[in-house]
């Protein structure tokens, strides 16, 4: 730094101390200039805040945002062209749904629905990625360029203007010590800086704002396109899920057939580890012409059949009716047979009630006559 430059810095510092500490008044700028300066300051804050909030809107997870920023920086350092993208919440949800849908099996109704929903969420994530790219290119980047170029340039001019004002105020208050020519030059430089700063602020506020409105319009168009595509994708998924519901409701219900209950018998030896009981699985119902003795671990003796006996059966398990027209009973009940509906169902009567019941829940004592 030259001697003249060093002296100028000393003058500005001295004048600043005089104003801050001593209460000295400096040269006042006109109200129009102050109004421009205030509007530029608000514009600068608005651009910075809008860029920040738009990034949060596109990438709401701060941890993922920070990680992505670090990875992008590393990619630039390594010279990689493609950098990793932001993990969209829709994509993460889609991966979860698709995984468990495949684990359940796509042939099942819920498993297939989960896979459909998962693939839809992945498509939404792709559309969201496109929104990120469009908004960054057409809104965030132009605003960032405005801040880095125009607003920083104005800030530079205002800082230079303040320095020249301090220099001029210091010199004009020391007549006799500072030559008049030097005071005159300081005043000319002050007015020159004021004109440059005023012109740049005016251009930003009156001319360049047309571009900012256009950029805001681009943001809205990108959002509109994203939501239209999202609605179309979700409507397709909604139609698929409704079709699955209709198909499931029209499909005949499969009845649950319980496995035979185990029957415990005393074993001959009392030294067994289970306390002398041996579990055995009850045998299937006997055929009509099979030996009826020694069924289910205990002897049962049937009386000879006579023509006067009614067709009947004995309940092997409890049966709870689930549909209208079914006949409920408990294990051991004797049910009068009135008709055989098909190879799986009987019709009978018990305690004055008539209804249908599954064949494999009973043992026929007196069969129906053909």
């Amino acid at each position: 730094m030259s001697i003249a430059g060093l002296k100028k810095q000393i003058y500005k510092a001295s004048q600043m101390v005089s104003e801050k500490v001593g209460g000295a008044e400096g040269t006042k700028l006109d109200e129009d200039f102050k109004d421009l300066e205030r509007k530029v300051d608000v514009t600068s804050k608005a651009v910075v805040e809008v860029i920040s909030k738009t990034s949060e809107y596109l990438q709401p997870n701060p941890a993922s945002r920070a990680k992505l920023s670090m990875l992008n920086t590393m990619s630039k350092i390594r010279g990689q062209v493609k950098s990793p993208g932001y993990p969209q919440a829709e994509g993460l949800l889609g991966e979860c749904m698709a995984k468990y849908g495949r684990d359940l099996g796509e042939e099942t109704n819920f498993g297939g629905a989960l896979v459909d929903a998962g693939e839809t969420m992945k498509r939404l994530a792709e559309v969201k990625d496109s929104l990120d790219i469009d908004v960054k290119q057409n809104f965030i980047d132009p605003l960032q360029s405005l801040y880095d170029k125009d607003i920083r340039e104005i800030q530079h001019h205002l800082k230079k203007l303040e320095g020249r004002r301090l220099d001029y105020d210091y010199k004009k208050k020391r007549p006799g010590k500072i030559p008049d020519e030097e005071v005159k030059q300081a005043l000319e430089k002050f007015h020159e800086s004021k004109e440059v700063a005023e012109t740049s602020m005016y251009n930003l506020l009156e001319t360049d704002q047309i571009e900012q409105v256009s950029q805001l319009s681009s943001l809205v168009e990108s959002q509109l396109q994203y939501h239209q595509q999202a609605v179309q994708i979700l409507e397709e998924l909604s139609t698929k899920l409704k079709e699955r519901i209709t198909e499931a409701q029209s499909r005949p219900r499969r009845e649950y057939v319980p496995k035979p209950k185990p029957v415990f018998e005393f074993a001959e030896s009392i030294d067994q580890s289970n306390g002398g009981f041996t579990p055995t699985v009850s045998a299937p119902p006997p055929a009509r012409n099979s030996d009826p003795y020694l069924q289910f671990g205990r002897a049962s003796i049937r009386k000879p059949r006579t023509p006067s006996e009614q067709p009947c059966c004995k309940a092997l398990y409890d049966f709870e009716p689930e549909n209208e027209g079914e006949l409920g009973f408990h294990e051991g009940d004797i049910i009068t047979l009135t008709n055989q509906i098909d190879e799986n169902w009987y019709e009978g009567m018990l305690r004055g009630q008539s209804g249908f019941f599954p064949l494999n829940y009973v043992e026929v004592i007196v069969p129906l006559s053909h």
Side-chain angles (χ1 to χ4, degrees):
M1 182 182 293
S2 63
I3 300 297
L6 181 60
K7 287 173 63 178
K8 186 178 290 187
Q9 294 299 323
I10 294 173
Y11 294 163
K12 290 191 290 186
S14 177
Q15 179 64 24
M16 184 180 294
V17 171
S18 298
E19 292 178 5
K20 300 292 183 183
V21 179
E25 290 190 4
T27 301
K28 300 294 184 181
L29 296 167
D30 58 83
E31 291 300 322
D32 290 339
F33 186 92
K34 289 181 179 179
D35 186 57
L36 286 175
E37 190 175 9
R38 183 188 62 80
K39 290 179 179 179
V40 168
D41 182 60
V42 173
T43 302
S44 174
K45 292 177 180 177
V47 168
V48 173
E49 193 72 11
V50 167
I51 289 175
S52 174
K53 296 302 181 184
T54 305
S55 299
E56 291 178 12
Y57 161 72
L58 296 173
Q59 302 174 354
N61 189 323
S64 298
R65 206 163 55 240
K67 182 179 179 181
L68 179 62
S69 177
M70 181 192 68
L71 293 175
N72 287 338
T73 303
M74 294 299 296
S75 298
K76 290 179 181 178
I77 294 174
R78 295 171 182 171
Q80 297 174 349
V81 177
K82 186 176 181 181
S83 57
Y86 177 82
Q88 302 291 355
E90 294 86 349
L92 299 176
L93 177 59
E95 290 290 345
C96 174
M97 287 181 167
K99 174 186 180 300
Y100 286 104
R102 287 190 291 266
D103 289 347
L104 281 173
E106 296 185 46
E107 69 279 0
T108 65
N109 200 25
F110 184 44
L114 277 176
V115 171
D116 289 342
E119 295 302 322
T120 298
M121 291 298 138
K122 291 180 185 178
R123 289 176 62 192
L124 286 177
E126 293 175 358
V127 175
K128 191 70 176 293
D129 285 336
S130 298
L131 173 67
D132 285 4
I133 295 172
D134 289 344
V135 172
K136 186 175 185 304
Q137 290 179 347
N138 300 320
F139 184 67
I140 293 179
D141 287 352
L143 281 183
Q144 190 65 54
S145 176
L146 171 71
Y147 183 82
D148 292 340
K149 183 181 177 182
D150 297 343
I151 293 179
R152 285 192 181 278
E153 183 179 352
I154 291 173
Q155 291 173 345
H156 168 73
H157 290 320
L158 290 174
K159 185 178 179 181
K160 191 173 183 179
L161 172 63
E162 178 64 10
R164 289 185 170 180
R165 183 194 68 77
L166 290 171
D167 181 60
Y168 167 67
D169 285 344
Y170 177 85
K171 290 176 179 179
K172 78 173 182 178
K173 290 181 180 180
R174 285 161 178 79
K177 294 182 180 180
I178 304 295
D180 292 342
E181 186 64 29
E182 195 170 333
V183 175
K184 184 180 177 181
Q185 289 179 355
L187 178 60
E188 290 176 353
K189 288 183 178 179
F190 167 69
H191 284 303
E192 178 186 343
S193 291
K194 179 178 179 294
E195 184 178 354
V196 171
E198 196 168 19
T199 302
S200 60
M201 289 190 295
Y202 180 85
N203 290 337
L204 174 70
L205 296 173
E206 298 299 327
T207 307
D208 294 346
Q209 283 194 355
I210 299 175
E211 297 181 7
Q212 277 79 73
V213 175
S214 299
Q215 291 153 10
L216 188 59
S217 176
S218 298
L219 168 65
V220 175
E221 287 296 327
S222 298
Q223 289 176 303
L224 179 61
Q225 185 178 6
Y226 161 73
H227 287 293
Q228 287 174 340
Q229 292 176 336
V231 167
Q232 181 180 354
I233 292 171
L234 289 173
E235 284 179 344
E236 293 175 4
L237 175 61
S238 178
T239 301
K240 286 184 180 179
L241 294 179
K242 288 178 181 177
E243 290 175 354
R244 285 186 175 276
I245 293 172
T246 303
E247 182 184 354
Q249 290 175 341
S250 62
R251 188 183 306 152
R253 180 177 176 179
R254 295 183 298 176
E255 295 293 338
Y256 170 71
V257 179
K259 296 180 180 179
K261 297 179 181 179
V263 178
F264 290 88
E265 297 179 348
F266 278 102
E268 294 181 0
S269 172
I270 62 173
D271 296 331
Q272 297 189 22
S273 60
N274 62 354
F277 288 92
T278 303
T280 61
V281 178
S282 57
R288 293 182 181 178
N289 56 356
S290 63
D291 189 353
Y293 296 99
L294 300 177
Q295 296 176 25
F296 303 95
R298 59 185 183 274
S300 62
I301 302 176
R302 288 194 192 152
K303 294 187 289 185
R305 202 171 113 191
T306 64
S308 61
E309 290 180 322
Q310 288 185 332
C312 61
C313 61
K314 181 179 181 181
L316 300 178
Y317 320 105
D318 292 347
F319 176 67
E320 296 293 336
E322 296 181 355
N323 301 305
E324 185 178 356
E326 295 180 347
L327 178 66
F329 48 76
H330 299 288
E331 181 181 354
D333 286 344
I334 301 299
I335 307 163
T336 301
L337 294 175
T338 57
N339 188 22
Q340 182 169 357
I341 306 302
D342 54 28
E343 66 274 12
N344 296 317
W345 290 83
Y346 277 133
E347 182 180 10
M349 293 186 65
L350 176 65
R351 291 186 282 274
Q353 299 291 326
S354 176
F356 308 106
F357 54 90
L359 181 148
N360 55 355
Y361 273 65
V362 300
E363 173 194 1
V364 175
I365 299 175
V366 180
L368 288 162
S369 57
H370 294 284

